[in-house]
Amino acid sequence: MARFKYEGRDKRGKKQGMMNAASRREAMFKLKEDGIRVIEITEVPETLMTKDISIGNPVKLQHFVIYLRQFATLLKAGVTVVDSTGILAAQTESKALKKALLDVELDLREGNPYSDAVSKHKKIFNSMFINMVKAGEVSGNMDGALENLAEHFEKQHYTKQKITSALMYPAVIGVIAIAVVIFLLVSIVPTFVTMFADLGAELPAITRFVLAASEFMQSYWWLIVLLILVFVGLIVYLKKNRNTKYYLDLFMLKVPVFGNMLQKAALARMTRTLSSLFSSSVPILQAMAIVEKVVENEVIAKVIRESRDSLEKGRSMTEPMKSHWAFPPLVTQMISIGEETGALDAMLSKIAEFYEKEVETSTDRLKALIEPIMIVILAGLVGLIVMSIMVPMFDMFNHIQ
C-alpha cells in the first residue's frame, strides 16, 4: 500500500489529508466515493521505516506467468488492453503486481501506450518484457508476444527451480548439521566437564579439542553470529557492485561440480532470452544490450558486451565467444550456423533446450550424489562429539573395575 497526500473540496469546503491506497487511481476513486472533488493528489515518498524491502523482482515468477497467460487469452477473446489490465489487477494474488497494474490502467485510460505505461515499473517489467511488448504493439501481434513471454518465463522459472532445489538440499543439511553441533557443544558437553575434571587423568586429544570448542562456543557465541552477519553482508555488497560481482560470479563458475551446472544455466538463460527477442523482431544490437542486463552473470554479460561491439564493427558475434572458456564449441558453432543461414532464433532455441535438459540432468544427478555425502558428514560430526565423551568414560569404568 502507498500513502497519498491530497487536497480537495466537498460540500463543507476545502479538505486536505493523508490516505492509504494501492495506487493513485484507487486513492482518487475512494475520495470520489466520499464526496471529495480532488484538486491535487501526490504520493508521499517512502522512507526506510515505511517501505517494503524486497530484493530483485517483488512479483513471484509464477504469478507473472499466470498474468501473461491470462492477458494473452483476454486479448484473443477481443477484450481491450485497458479492460484486460483492470480485470487482471482485480484478480491477481500478487500485491506488487496489483499496484503496478492499477497504475498501468490509469496511464492507459489517459491515452498512453501499454509499453510506455509498464516502463514506469521496471522492478516488475524488465527491459526484455518492455521491448517484446513494444514489438508486439508495432506488429499488431500483442497476444502472440505475450504468449512468447509466458513460455519464456515458464522455462526460465523451471530451470531456476531445478538449480534452487539442487543447492537447497546441501544448504538445509548444512544448517541442520551446524545447529546440532552447536546444541551438543552448548547443552550436552558442558554437563560432563565437572566429571572429567574429577577424574584427574589426562584426557584424550579428541576430548580436549571438543571441550575447548564447547568453552569457546559458550564464551564467544556472539562472535560467530557476528561473523555470519558480516559474511552475508559482504556477499550482498559484492553482488550489488558490478566490478566485484564479476569476480564473485567467476568464483562461482569455477567451483567444482556446482560451477559447471551454473554455467549451463547461465548459457540456457542467455540463449533462451536472445531467441525470444529475435523471434519478436527486436533488433539484434538492442537484443544483445537487453540480454546483458538480464543474464544475471557478469562473466557471461562481459562476453555479450564484447560480442555486441564485434557486431557494431561488422564482424561475427561469435568472435569473442570462441576465445572465452565459458562458451563451449557447441554454442559458438550453432550460433555461427544461425548467422550464416538466417535462422539465428531457431538455433538459439535449440541451444537453450539442450542446456535446459543438461541442467535438469545435472541437478538430478547432483542431488543423488550429495544426499549420502551430507548424511555421512552430519553423522561424522555428531559421532566425533559422542566419541569424545565416551572414550574417557570407558577409561573411567576400566579404572573402577
Side-chain angles (χ1 to χ4, degrees), residues 180-182 184-185 189 206 210 380-390:
V180 169
V181 169
I182 290 173
L184 292 173
L185 291 176
V189 173
I206 186 174
V210 171
L381 290 171
V382 175
L384 179 71
I385 296 172
V386 172
M387 189 184 299
S388 71
I389 295 171
M390 296 304 294

mmCIF file of all heavy atoms in Angstrom, residues 180-182 184-185 189 206 210 380-390:
data_model
loop_
_atom_site.group_PDB
_atom_site.id
_atom_site.type_symbol
_atom_site.label_atom_id
_atom_site.label_comp_id
_atom_site.label_asym_id
_atom_site.label_seq_id
_atom_site.Cartn_x
_atom_site.Cartn_y
_atom_site.Cartn_z
ATOM 1 N N VAL A 180 22.845 -28.809 15.147
ATOM 2 C CA VAL A 180 23.038 -29.976 16.011
ATOM 3 C C VAL A 180 24.365 -29.887 16.760
ATOM 4 O O VAL A 180 24.439 -30.125 17.976
ATOM 5 C CB VAL A 180 22.966 -31.280 15.186
ATOM 6 C CG1 VAL A 180 23.434 -32.476 16.012
ATOM 7 C CG2 VAL A 180 21.551 -31.512 14.676
ATOM 8 N N VAL A 181 25.419 -29.501 16.049
ATOM 9 C CA VAL A 181 26.748 -29.383 16.675
ATOM 10 C C VAL A 181 26.741 -28.303 17.753
ATOM 11 O O VAL A 181 27.272 -28.512 18.864
ATOM 12 C CB VAL A 181 27.814 -29.079 15.601
ATOM 13 C CG1 VAL A 181 29.141 -28.690 16.255
ATOM 14 C CG2 VAL A 181 28.015 -30.280 14.692
ATOM 15 N N ILE A 182 26.131 -27.156 17.458
ATOM 16 C CA ILE A 182 26.057 -26.079 18.452
ATOM 17 C C ILE A 182 25.273 -26.532 19.685
ATOM 18 O O ILE A 182 25.672 -26.276 20.827
ATOM 19 C CB ILE A 182 25.412 -24.820 17.832
ATOM 20 C CG1 ILE A 182 26.368 -24.200 16.803
ATOM 21 C CG2 ILE A 182 25.074 -23.790 18.909
ATOM 22 C CD1 ILE A 182 25.768 -23.053 16.020
ATOM 23 N N LEU A 184 24.879 -29.604 20.843
ATOM 24 C CA LEU A 184 25.678 -30.567 21.603
ATOM 25 C C LEU A 184 26.801 -29.873 22.382
ATOM 26 O O LEU A 184 27.067 -30.196 23.547
ATOM 27 C CB LEU A 184 26.266 -31.627 20.669
ATOM 28 C CG LEU A 184 25.260 -32.602 20.027
ATOM 29 C CD1 LEU A 184 25.963 -33.482 19.003
ATOM 30 C CD2 LEU A 184 24.593 -33.472 21.088
ATOM 31 N N LEU A 185 27.453 -28.900 21.741
ATOM 32 C CA LEU A 185 28.570 -28.206 22.388
ATOM 33 C C LEU A 185 28.114 -27.313 23.533
ATOM 34 O O LEU A 185 28.821 -27.175 24.540
ATOM 35 C CB LEU A 185 29.337 -27.374 21.357
ATOM 36 C CG LEU A 185 30.136 -28.150 20.301
ATOM 37 C CD1 LEU A 185 30.758 -27.198 19.296
ATOM 38 C CD2 LEU A 185 31.203 -29.016 20.947
ATOM 39 N N VAL A 189 27.733 -31.229 26.113
ATOM 40 C CA VAL A 189 29.145 -31.389 26.504
ATOM 41 C C VAL A 189 29.463 -30.752 27.862
ATOM 42 O O VAL A 189 30.168 -31.359 28.685
ATOM 43 C CB VAL A 189 30.075 -30.840 25.394
ATOM 44 C CG1 VAL A 189 31.531 -30.846 25.853
ATOM 45 C CG2 VAL A 189 29.926 -31.664 24.120
ATOM 46 N N ILE A 206 41.094 -35.869 21.433
ATOM 47 C CA ILE A 206 39.790 -35.579 20.837
ATOM 48 C C ILE A 206 38.837 -34.961 21.867
ATOM 49 O O ILE A 206 38.067 -34.055 21.560
ATOM 50 C CB ILE A 206 39.175 -36.856 20.220
ATOM 51 C CG1 ILE A 206 37.893 -36.530 19.471
ATOM 52 C CG2 ILE A 206 38.881 -37.908 21.300
ATOM 53 C CD1 ILE A 206 37.312 -37.709 18.716
ATOM 54 N N VAL A 210 37.179 -31.104 21.832
ATOM 55 C CA VAL A 210 35.739 -30.851 21.914
ATOM 56 C C VAL A 210 35.406 -29.968 23.111
ATOM 57 O O VAL A 210 34.563 -29.066 23.021
ATOM 58 C CB VAL A 210 34.960 -32.187 21.974
ATOM 59 C CG1 VAL A 210 33.478 -31.943 22.280
ATOM 60 C CG2 VAL A 210 35.085 -32.928 20.651
ATOM 61 N N GLY A 380 29.237 -37.986 10.921
ATOM 62 C CA GLY A 380 30.625 -37.887 11.361
ATOM 63 C C GLY A 380 30.813 -36.830 12.439
ATOM 64 O O GLY A 380 31.533 -37.054 13.428
ATOM 65 N N LEU A 381 30.177 -35.661 12.271
ATOM 66 C CA LEU A 381 30.297 -34.584 13.256
ATOM 67 C C LEU A 381 29.699 -34.997 14.602
ATOM 68 O O LEU A 381 30.298 -34.799 15.659
ATOM 69 C CB LEU A 381 29.608 -33.318 12.736
ATOM 70 C CG LEU A 381 30.296 -32.604 11.576
ATOM 71 C CD1 LEU A 381 29.402 -31.510 11.018
ATOM 72 C CD2 LEU A 381 31.627 -32.001 12.039
ATOM 73 N N VAL A 382 28.491 -35.554 14.542
ATOM 74 C CA VAL A 382 27.829 -35.995 15.776
ATOM 75 C C VAL A 382 28.628 -37.131 16.418
ATOM 76 O O VAL A 382 28.831 -37.163 17.643
ATOM 77 C CB VAL A 382 26.377 -36.444 15.490
ATOM 78 C CG1 VAL A 382 25.739 -37.029 16.750
ATOM 79 C CG2 VAL A 382 25.550 -35.274 14.976
ATOM 80 N N GLY A 383 29.096 -38.068 15.575
ATOM 81 C CA GLY A 383 29.887 -39.191 16.089
ATOM 82 C C GLY A 383 31.169 -38.733 16.756
ATOM 83 O O GLY A 383 31.594 -39.305 17.779
ATOM 84 N N LEU A 384 31.813 -37.702 16.217
ATOM 85 C CA LEU A 384 33.051 -37.165 16.792
ATOM 86 C C LEU A 384 32.807 -36.639 18.204
ATOM 87 O O LEU A 384 33.597 -36.904 19.128
ATOM 88 C CB LEU A 384 33.579 -36.052 15.888
ATOM 89 C CG LEU A 384 34.871 -35.362 16.353
ATOM 90 C CD1 LEU A 384 36.059 -36.314 16.199
ATOM 91 C CD2 LEU A 384 35.118 -34.090 15.541
ATOM 92 N N ILE A 385 31.715 -35.901 18.375
ATOM 93 C CA ILE A 385 31.397 -35.333 19.695
ATOM 94 C C ILE A 385 31.040 -36.436 20.682
ATOM 95 O O ILE A 385 31.491 -36.436 21.836
ATOM 96 C CB ILE A 385 30.251 -34.309 19.571
ATOM 97 C CG1 ILE A 385 30.705 -33.114 18.708
ATOM 98 C CG2 ILE A 385 29.796 -33.816 20.940
ATOM 99 C CD1 ILE A 385 29.603 -32.139 18.351
ATOM 100 N N VAL A 386 30.229 -37.403 20.235
ATOM 101 C CA VAL A 386 29.835 -38.516 21.110
ATOM 102 C C VAL A 386 31.064 -39.332 21.520
ATOM 103 O O VAL A 386 31.229 -39.726 22.694
ATOM 104 C CB VAL A 386 28.787 -39.405 20.398
ATOM 105 C CG1 VAL A 386 28.530 -40.671 21.222
ATOM 106 C CG2 VAL A 386 27.493 -38.642 20.188
ATOM 107 N N MET A 387 31.965 -39.568 20.564
ATOM 108 C CA MET A 387 33.177 -40.342 20.848
ATOM 109 C C MET A 387 34.062 -39.618 21.871
ATOM 110 O O MET A 387 34.666 -40.243 22.749
ATOM 111 C CB MET A 387 33.957 -40.577 19.553
ATOM 112 C CG MET A 387 35.130 -41.554 19.706
ATOM 113 S SD MET A 387 36.073 -41.701 18.179
ATOM 114 C CE MET A 387 34.814 -42.323 17.088
ATOM 115 N N SER A 388 34.139 -38.286 21.744
ATOM 116 C CA SER A 388 34.974 -37.515 22.671
ATOM 117 C C SER A 388 34.487 -37.630 24.106
ATOM 118 O O SER A 388 35.267 -37.467 25.053
ATOM 119 C CB SER A 388 34.996 -36.047 22.248
ATOM 120 O OG SER A 388 33.727 -35.435 22.491
ATOM 121 N N ILE A 389 33.198 -37.904 24.298
ATOM 122 C CA ILE A 389 32.623 -38.075 25.640
ATOM 123 C C ILE A 389 32.757 -39.528 26.097
ATOM 124 O O ILE A 389 33.069 -39.812 27.268
ATOM 125 C CB ILE A 389 31.140 -37.642 25.639
ATOM 126 C CG1 ILE A 389 31.035 -36.139 25.343
ATOM 127 C CG2 ILE A 389 30.480 -37.969 26.976
ATOM 128 C CD1 ILE A 389 29.617 -35.665 25.114
ATOM 129 N N MET A 390 32.542 -40.455 25.181
ATOM 130 C CA MET A 390 32.506 -41.872 25.544
ATOM 131 C C MET A 390 33.890 -42.443 25.863
ATOM 132 O O MET A 390 34.021 -43.289 26.764
ATOM 133 C CB MET A 390 31.865 -42.678 24.412
ATOM 134 C CG MET A 390 30.401 -42.339 24.146
ATOM 135 S SD MET A 390 29.352 -42.495 25.605
ATOM 136 C CE MET A 390 29.436 -44.267 25.873
#
